[in-house]
Amino acid sequence: GDGDAFHSTTLSAMLSGLTVVEDANGAASPAPPSQDDVFVGFAIDRRDMSSGKSTSLNFDGRPIQKFHYGDYTVKPAHQYEYTVRRMIKAPSRSRYSFFSRPKYVTVGSPLVVTVTTEDPSTSKHGIYFNRGVAGSQAYAEKFGEFRKWHKVNKYGKSHWTSIINPLSIPDPAKKKEACAWLSRGLEEALLEFISEACDDCWQLRVTAYEFTHKEVIHAFAAAVERGVDVKIIHHVKGSYRPKTRYNDVVKDKDGKVVKEWVPDNTTSETQHAIDAVGFQSLDHARIWHHDTFIERHTSSIMHNKFIILIRDGLPVKVWTGSTNFTDSGFYGQSNVGHIVRDEDIARQYLTYWNKLALDPPGRSKRHSGSSHDDDELPMDEINEQLQPDPAGPQPHDTTAVFFSPRKTSDLLNWYADRMGDAATSVHFTAAFGVSQPIAQVLNQDGKQSHEVGVRRSPRLAKRIETDDKLLRYILLDSQPSEHSSEKSRASAEKKGRGNEYCDYFDFKKLKSNRIAYGAVLSGRKEEKDDGPSSSSSASSEHSESLTGLGTFVNFVHTKFMVVDALTENPTIITGSANFSVASIEQNDENMLVIQGDTAVADVYLTEFMRLFDHFYSRDKRNESKDKGSESSRGWADVEDDSWMKPYFDPSHQLFRERVLLS
């Protein structure tokens, strides 16, 4: 996950094609090396078809020892040619024998494939992921000179931690470079989307949960100055607390405590950011402060973050996704921005926005027996009128949108059912834990399908020696706590649901589940309680630092699920909701369900694997350090072909992965 551009591609089928031979029945097995031909991995070269520039993707000339490889340094709307070759360890009597470490050479005929990357600026679905891996060695190598140490307290314990905050970099050029590296095109795409509203023919209808990112706020302010009609619904919540004066509680003449309304942090920070904007024209300043913002009080959380672009009253397209309009949303945790260029979808969002703007109650009053005018209906009833809960899978080649809150959590159960229908794969991100309906699906082995297979050429299909076996990838923001699990399990038992309860500590045991969680490399001497080690340096292997911009979520903030990504009929579910009961029944949320769009599935799959591989490698390295081992996989760790064995062992997850991605 350390590339310099903002699009990605993966090479998997090619790698499998170089390492298998067929028997008389078409079954595949590892290609047997000769005594002097010890297969140690792959060499991959990339050629930019427009510039002709060729680049080796092998770090320091070493073989790639894995069966799927992601290239995360490509540009959008570009064509590339990839050449893949087998690598062997040079024979001991070769001209390379004087090297202190083994020299590797390429052998055999190469496989060549041409790849054209997607153009998110023109397609129906424009998808933008930020870097999402601030805590990486590449970030530290580029900007480690600006690292600062902080002593923090967490769960009653203090420790030292380092951060590289891009916004604190004193050099303006370096600051701009760091922000662009972390954003990876996400911020730029959003600002360009807003700028399309160029004059008074345009309207922008916005919902914002957190609204503090200066560049986005100034983009909306500039739209106001251009004459664009801008309306922004934002989260406003707080509580009444005793009023104090000079540290004394204020009481009225009857001796009762006087209470005052105190906004929550999200509300307070948003208001400060709004108030900080200045205008040259007093008229524009008045429009900004009096006609632009609409407060949303009555839902549990106004958790939406979408923008509708409207021209002459007709909705044109929508920006949605997981990205809050904050510094952390663009430069820290992983996020996605998803543009839908579809007038019907935009119209549905505008209908929903118009209802939210009236600030109706979020939830129905149960058994009240009262009647309401249409404008007084609570949002859960309005949303189920706009889109009733779906029944069964969506039709092929469709895009649907579902809004929350809803009267029941049936939509969450429907999401779980779609996961349960998976025949080949699931790719699922969870920022705030895994809800029970989904955990219960993950705690089952899943279905075995002989009819639904991944998209393969006939030649590759012939080489696959087994039916596709389900493999589910789960990406969490942090490693779950055993203590929290025990408390939740005890609570479920008190309610008589102990036999039904399951969580990470149950479903992590299944071979069909491959799990990673956000992390940086651990074992750093500089994080001990006695303070930073003077021997630590920006070039150290253990120098990974976050941006320090996050609060609750440091790593994974996306909310999406891709089911059967590599088949002809994938399901993509993405948006603002965290696949939880609260996100369905209480919060203002929106989710897209995209059925059968293989191009969208490919983008989400590739970006998921970029993040998953980044964090999974750190999880495994940290585990090995905890056990006193420094072993790792991926770059020529072994000098024979033993690295291949897990990929051809049917009992191993890597076998399933090789078959899935072939």
Side-chain angles (χ1 to χ4, degrees), residues 202-403:
W202 294 86
Q203 301 86 48
L204 290 168
R205 296 294 180 262
V206 186
T207 61
Y209 173 50
E210 296 177 300
F211 191 69
T212 57
H213 189 61
K214 288 183 179 179
E215 286 72 13
V216 171
I217 293 174
H218 290 162
F220 284 120
V224 169
E225 292 180 317
R226 293 192 298 270
V228 179
D229 178 11
V230 180
K231 296 287 187 291
I232 301 172
I233 302 173
H234 67 101
H235 166 91
V236 175
K237 298 289 283 188
S239 59
Y240 284 92
R241 302 176 189 176
K243 185 176 182 179
T244 59
R245 182 179 298 161
Y246 307 116
N247 295 324
D248 293 327
V249 175
V250 177
K251 298 181 180 180
D252 63 16
K253 61 181 181 181
D254 297 323
K256 293 182 179 180
V257 174
V258 176
K259 293 187 176 182
E260 61 180 348
W261 187 80
V262 179
D264 64 15
N265 287 338
T266 300
T267 304
S268 177
E269 291 171 0
T270 294
Q271 193 58 57
H272 287 157
I274 292 170
D275 292 343
V277 179
F279 295 84
Q280 290 185 334
S281 163
L282 181 58
D283 288 339
H284 289 144
R286 285 171 172 162
I287 291 172
W288 178 256
H289 286 282
H290 299 299
D291 297 331
T292 299
F293 295 95
I294 300 170
E295 296 181 348
R296 177 78 172 120
H297 297 268
T298 57
S299 62
S300 178
I301 296 177
M302 208 302 299
H303 199 240
N304 288 306
K305 28 262 188 179
F306 65 78
I307 306 169
I308 311 164
L309 189 62
I310 305 165
R311 183 169 187 176
D312 295 327
L314 299 176
V316 178
K317 50 187 165 183
V318 175
W319 170 286
T320 186
S322 65
T323 310
N324 285 313
F325 305 142
T326 63
D327 298 336
S328 179
F330 294 101
Y331 307 145
Q333 62 203 199
S334 68
N335 275 301
V336 61
H338 190 129
I339 298 173
V340 185
R341 299 179 177 93
D342 183 291
E343 293 179 1
D344 182 59
I345 293 295
R347 191 178 304 112
Q348 293 181 57
Y349 270 91
L350 181 57
T351 300
Y352 173 65
W353 187 95
N354 287 333
K355 298 294 185 181
L356 281 180
L358 300 173
D359 197 24
R363 299 279 284 161
S364 307
K365 291 184 178 179
R366 303 302 186 196
H367 311 296
S368 65
S370 61
S371 60
H372 304 272
D373 294 333
D374 183 62
D375 288 344
E376 295 177 341
L377 284 176
M379 282 307 302
D380 59 357
E381 292 189 23
I382 291 172
N383 289 331
E384 294 198 1
Q385 288 180 7
L386 293 174
Q387 311 96 0
D389 287 333
Q394 292 292 96
H396 182 75
D397 196 23
T398 59
T399 300
V401 58
F402 295 96
F403 300 113

Side-chain angles (χ1 to χ4, degrees), residues 373-652:
D373 294 333
D374 183 62
D375 288 344
E376 295 177 341
L377 284 176
M379 282 307 302
D380 59 357
E381 292 189 23
I382 291 172
N383 289 331
E384 294 198 1
Q385 288 180 7
L386 293 174
Q387 311 96 0
D389 287 333
Q394 292 292 96
H396 182 75
D397 196 23
T398 59
T399 300
V401 58
F402 295 96
F403 300 113
S404 296
R406 305 180 79 83
K407 292 163 69 175
T408 70
S409 59
D410 287 349
L411 186 60
L412 178 61
N413 296 329
W414 185 83
Y415 295 150
D417 289 343
R418 302 290 69 74
M419 178 184 282
D421 286 344
T424 61
S425 66
V426 171
H427 297 81
F428 173 66
T429 66
F432 295 95
V434 180
S435 63
Q436 281 302 292
I438 290 178
Q440 289 165 12
V441 173
L442 294 175
N443 204 35
Q444 302 171 11
D445 277 327
K447 298 178 180 179
Q448 178 76 24
S449 173
H450 300 277
E451 298 178 358
V452 179
V454 302
R455 290 171 269 145
R456 297 188 178 101
S457 69
R459 180 179 65 83
L460 281 175
K462 184 181 178 183
R463 290 175 178 238
I464 299 302
E465 69 273 28
T466 182
D467 293 321
D468 292 316
K469 292 184 178 180
L470 177 66
L471 189 56
R472 292 180 293 230
Y473 294 79
I474 302 107
L475 180 56
L476 310 174
D477 176 64
S478 60
Q479 185 176 19
S481 158
E482 288 192 45
H483 177 67
S484 297
S485 172
E486 290 170 359
K487 288 179 63 177
S488 298
R489 197 177 301 274
S491 175
E493 289 175 353
K494 286 183 180 180
K495 298 176 182 178
R497 300 174 184 171
N499 293 333
E500 301 174 6
Y501 181 86
C502 63
D503 61 17
Y504 163 83
F505 294 97
D506 299 302
F507 60 70
K508 75 172 185 175
K509 303 172 185 176
L510 274 67
K511 290 183 179 179
S512 55
N513 294 333
R514 195 161 168 80
I515 305 172
Y517 42 84
V520 294
L521 290 174
S522 65
R524 295 180 286 187
K525 293 180 181 179
E526 61 266 28
E527 283 197 346
K528 291 183 178 180
D529 289 344
D530 57 356
S533 168
S534 60
S535 63
S536 63
S537 68
S539 60
S540 169
E541 175 192 27
H542 308 303
S543 61
E544 295 184 346
S545 300
L546 295 174
T547 61
L549 297 172
T551 50
F552 299 109
V553 178
N554 285 321
F555 300 102
V556 180
H557 190 252
T558 52
K559 306 98 169 38
F560 70 84
M561 176 197 307
V562 187
V563 178
D564 291 334
L566 291 168
T567 69
E568 296 292 348
N569 191 33
T571 303
I572 306 97
I573 304 171
T574 182
S576 69
N578 285 301
F579 296 101
S580 65
V581 172
S583 70
I584 301 297
E585 292 190 356
Q586 299 177 23
N587 301 345
D588 295 332
E589 309 271 11
N590 70 99
M591 295 293 275
L592 293 169
V593 178
I594 304 163
Q595 191 69 42
D597 193 319
T598 57
V600 172
D602 288 348
V603 173
Y604 273 91
L605 169 66
T606 303
E607 294 292 345
F608 180 98
M609 294 306 298
R610 174 179 68 87
L611 294 165
F612 185 92
D613 286 349
H614 176 90
F615 291 123
Y616 188 85
S617 65
R618 281 149 180 77
D619 298 340
K620 293 305 175 185
R621 176 65 69 88
N622 291 341
E623 288 176 12
S624 69
K625 286 182 178 179
D626 291 341
K627 297 175 182 177
S629 169
E630 290 289 334
S631 64
S632 63
R633 294 295 298 266
W635 292 101
D637 296 312
V638 296
E639 297 175 10
D640 55 31
D641 63 355
S642 62
W643 66 273
M644 277 202 306
K645 291 182 179 179
Y647 291 97
F648 291 90
D649 177 359
S651 67
H652 204 285

Side-chain angles (χ1 to χ4, degrees), residues 1-2 4 131 133-149 162-166 169 174 177-178 181-182 520-521 524 526 536-547 614 618:
D2 298 339
D4 294 324
R131 184 76 54 181
V133 289
S136 67
Q137 293 181 47
Y139 183 58
E141 288 171 3
K142 288 176 178 290
F143 309 106
E145 63 184 295
F146 304 107
R147 176 185 286 105
K148 293 184 178 180
W149 290 96
S162 65
I163 66 170
I164 307 173
N165 186 336
I169 294 176
K174 277 288 187 180
E177 180 186 353
W181 192 89
L182 293 165
V520 294
L521 290 174
R524 295 180 286 187
E526 61 266 28
S536 63
S537 68
S539 60
S540 169
E541 175 192 27
H542 308 303
S543 61
E544 295 184 346
S545 300
L546 295 174
T547 61
H614 176 90
R618 281 149 180 77

